[in-house]
Amino acid sequence: MAGPRPLDAAWRLVFRLGFPVARVWWRLRGARPEGALVAVYVDRALLLLRSSYQVEWNFPGGGVKRGETPEAAARRELAEEIGLGAPRLLPAGEATGIWDGWRYRVHFFELRLDRPPKLQLDNREIIGAWLASPEELPGIALTGPVAAYLARAPDAPPADLAGERARARIDEKPK
């Protein structure tokens, strides 16, 4: 398999160098990081993503922008990172912790799919995706927030709304 195209490799370098610089900038500004992550289930397997600037695997998601709700941020990040639209995300709690030397507040959402999604990775920020079975999870390097989510709900069944099973249809990101 061929490596990344030169432009993709340049973007990866920008992300890898820029992420630590951005964290210093956020700290100097006194930002209070708040994020939204989506646990995407296909049967019992969880979708994990690998970014170009972190070693650990993560859920799709990212920062909540000023004036944005956590659910809106989760939907935006799903579309930006993997080209996935979701008709409904189920709130799955939140966690606050110190990860990578930074105090974060993370809102979790769950999405249950009937089949593996067709992903659109940009090969710049997001460079890998993996549907990991529950048996594989203990051996995978995970980000702190993902580990916190799994520790709260080790089997992590998708949440139900008023007893109704949360099933979603896959909608690709509009072009």
Side-chain angles (χ1 to χ4, degrees), residues 87-91 110 112 157-168:
R88 180 171 60 181
L89 296 177
L90 300 174
E110 293 178 352
R112 180 85 173 170
D160 289 347
L161 277 181
E164 180 184 335
R165 202 112 210 244
R167 291 277 177 192

Side-chain angles (χ1 to χ4, degrees), residues 2-167:
R5 297 182 321 210
L7 184 57
D8 292 341
W11 272 107
R12 286 181 182 189
L13 181 62
V14 167
F15 279 114
R16 196 169 302 126
L17 298 175
F19 185 66
V21 171
R23 286 186 14 192
V24 169
W25 173 248
W26 297 328
R27 187 173 301 233
L28 291 173
R29 279 191 22 214
R32 307 192 103 207
E34 185 175 12
L37 295 177
V38 183
V40 178
Y41 289 91
V42 178
D43 292 321
R44 294 177 53 230
L46 266 172
L47 177 64
L48 299 174
L49 299 181
R50 178 61 109 5
S51 70
S52 58
Y53 50 87
Q54 287 183 306
V55 175
E56 301 90 358
W57 291 85
N58 201 8
F59 290 153
V64 178
K65 294 179 179 179
R66 189 177 309 253
E68 185 177 44
T69 66
E71 183 174 355
R75 288 178 186 283
R76 175 180 49 76
E77 290 286 348
L78 274 174
E80 288 175 6
E81 290 186 348
I82 59 175
L84 185 63
R88 180 171 60 181
L89 296 177
L90 300 174
E94 62 183 55
T96 301
I98 298 175
W99 297 298
D100 298 325
W102 193 262
R103 185 167 189 77
Y104 284 92
R105 178 177 174 198
V106 179
H107 302 269
F108 296 106
F109 295 89
E110 293 178 352
L111 175 63
R112 180 85 173 170
L113 301 176
D114 291 326
R115 64 189 183 278
K118 180 181 174 189
L119 303 178
Q120 298 172 359
L121 306 183
D122 66 7
N123 205 27
R124 294 175 180 180
E125 179 185 10
I126 305 301
I127 59 172
W130 182 8
L131 264 178
S133 71
E135 296 77 25
E136 292 174 304
L137 290 171
I140 300 172
L142 302 169
T143 63
V146 171
Y149 170 84
L150 292 173
R152 287 188 348 201
D155 295 328
D160 289 347
L161 277 181
E164 180 184 335
R165 202 112 210 244
R167 291 277 177 192

